[in-house]
Amino acid sequence: MAGKTIVLLSVPAGAGHTRVAEAIRACAAADHPDATVIHLDAMAFATPLLRKVYTEFYLRLITRAPGLWRYIYRWTDAASPDGLTSRLRRRIERHACRMLTDEIAALKPDAIICTHFQPAEVLSQQIAAGKLTCPLWVQVTDFDLHRMWLQPHVTGYFAANDEVAFRMHEQGVAAHAIYVAGIPTMPAFSLTHDRADCARALGLNPALPTFLLMGGGAGLGGLHRVAQQLLAIPGNFQLIALAGKNAAELAALQRLAVRFPGRLAPQGYTDRVERLMACADLVITKPGGATTAECLAMGVPMIVNAPIPGQEEHNANYLLEHGAALKAVDLATLDYRIRYLMAHPEKLAGMAACARALGRPQAARHVVETVLVQAARKSDVAHV
């Protein structure tokens, strides 16, 4: 496998596709330093208009018109790939991504892994035209399957769970081309972190129940307002609030922390989220595929809120059905759920056990090993 070149292609439609690609890249770099792994943002090689559609327009749609996004998600899932609209869209996107196909041709990779359906669809057409011959892989990044993830001429698919794999097979993908790997997470999420060390680094007591609030409080009224209401709940617990790059929220949380000394730990952007999860008994978050996979890899249960219609609703359903999460539809419900779990620690312990059972902390390694082994046997690989 020495000397192999793998190209990862993601699309910044939200952060999840990029994080999953980075997880695969980091795992490959750690385990196979002799391999060359290149992660590209596919939209950096697209026309400005297409880039806006897949990034800015998508993000505006899911935040300002989620109902319309739900309709589009279902409509495109049901649309025939041979229909006029689908054929016209593929033709437009093929022309809009000429720089991407030129870049791929120049790199001459031994394998390509796509963590978003869009570049997979473009490269599938390249294979059909005889312009690309290396294996093309697809990593699905949610506990759901939208039809657009499935493309002809794909060597193999990495599914998040058995149900997604079953649905792939039902839609015509050969069983030998489906690998149930999970959703890749960064290597740090597969390690054991000392809870006491992580808690003390945040100024928290490792012996007290600790909740981690993520996702900007989307759908619940803003992060500091959520933190303020939760800290008013009777009980001896602590809260970590992750504001990320939102400076205004971080400042508001820091002011709030003065009123609750030792109980609130505001956090700005960090690339060490695994250390926050290591000292948390529960994560309150939107059910994005990458975030939920990280929680499961760490064995941390969740209260999920404000799912994006479509894929995140399916993620939430998966977690709820398997006992790894509760759902809060508004701030009052979140307040109730926290009070309930504080009064019933056995319920929280059971949810944690379910989260650990679902976790696949070695997903990235599974993907890398499969792709590299297949690349070494390239002559034996048959496209689906």
Side-chain angles (χ1 to χ4, degrees), residues 83-298:
L84 176 62
T85 304
S86 298
R87 287 187 282 118
L88 181 60
R89 181 184 55 76
R90 284 197 298 271
R91 183 171 184 176
I92 293 172
E93 294 193 11
R94 184 172 68 246
H95 287 284
C97 291
R98 283 179 175 172
M99 284 196 299
L100 175 65
T101 54
D102 289 346
E103 181 70 11
I104 295 297
L107 290 171
K108 296 182 172 61
D110 296 289
I112 299 170
I113 307 172
C114 297
T115 62
H116 191 279
F117 67 84
Q118 196 277 340
E121 185 173 48
V122 170
L123 296 180
S124 168
Q125 296 173 76
Q126 290 291 102
I127 294 174
K131 298 178 180 177
L132 180 68
T133 58
C134 76
L136 175 64
W137 299 83
V138 171
Q139 169 68 59
V140 177
T141 58
D142 285 293
F143 300 103
D144 183 30
L145 180 68
H146 190 283
R147 188 201 59 75
M148 293 181 75
W149 283 101
L150 305 180
Q151 301 295 333
H153 313 296
V154 170
T155 301
Y157 294 88
F158 296 105
N161 58 24
D162 291 330
E163 180 179 325
V164 171
F166 180 86
R167 292 170 63 190
M168 286 177 174
H169 190 48
E170 283 292 295
Q171 295 194 43
V173 179
H176 67 79
I178 303 171
Y179 300 81
V180 183
I183 300 174
T185 57
M186 293 293 280
F189 289 93
S190 67
L191 304 177
T192 300
H193 303 273
D194 186 88
R195 175 186 172 107
D197 286 347
C198 294
R200 290 191 187 104
L202 299 173
L204 299 176
N205 183 345
L208 291 181
T210 302
F211 307 135
L212 170 59
L213 179 58
M214 299 177 66
L220 296 176
L223 201 60
H224 71 280
R225 291 189 180 87
V226 177
Q228 184 172 358
Q229 175 143 345
L230 295 184
L231 288 167
I233 296 174
N236 198 11
F237 68 91
Q238 305 163 124
L239 191 63
I240 305 167
L242 183 60
K245 297 179 180 177
N246 190 329
E249 278 290 355
L250 180 60
L253 287 166
Q254 289 168 336
R255 290 192 295 273
L256 185 63
V258 175
R259 294 169 48 195
F260 297 92
R263 294 194 61 203
L264 174 61
Q267 299 294 304
Y269 174 78
T270 176
D271 59 357
R272 306 189 75 182
V273 174
E274 72 281 357
R275 292 185 62 84
L276 308 185
M277 290 184 180
C279 53
D281 299 284
L282 177 81
V283 174
I284 303 160
T285 181
K286 283 171 53 58
T291 298
T292 54
E294 290 165 356
C295 289
L296 297 178
M298 297 285 291

Side-chain angles (χ1 to χ4, degrees), residues 1-5 28-29 31-37 372:
M1 291 184 278
K4 297 297 182 186
T5 297
D31 291 355
H32 301 277
D34 54 342
T36 301
V37 185
L372 282 176

Side-chain angles (χ1 to χ4, degrees), residues 363-381:
R365 180 164 286 121
H366 186 164
V367 172
V368 170
E369 295 293 334
T370 301
V371 170
L372 282 176
V373 167
Q374 292 283 349
R377 301 171 181 165
K378 181 180 175 181
S379 59
D380 297 328
V381 172

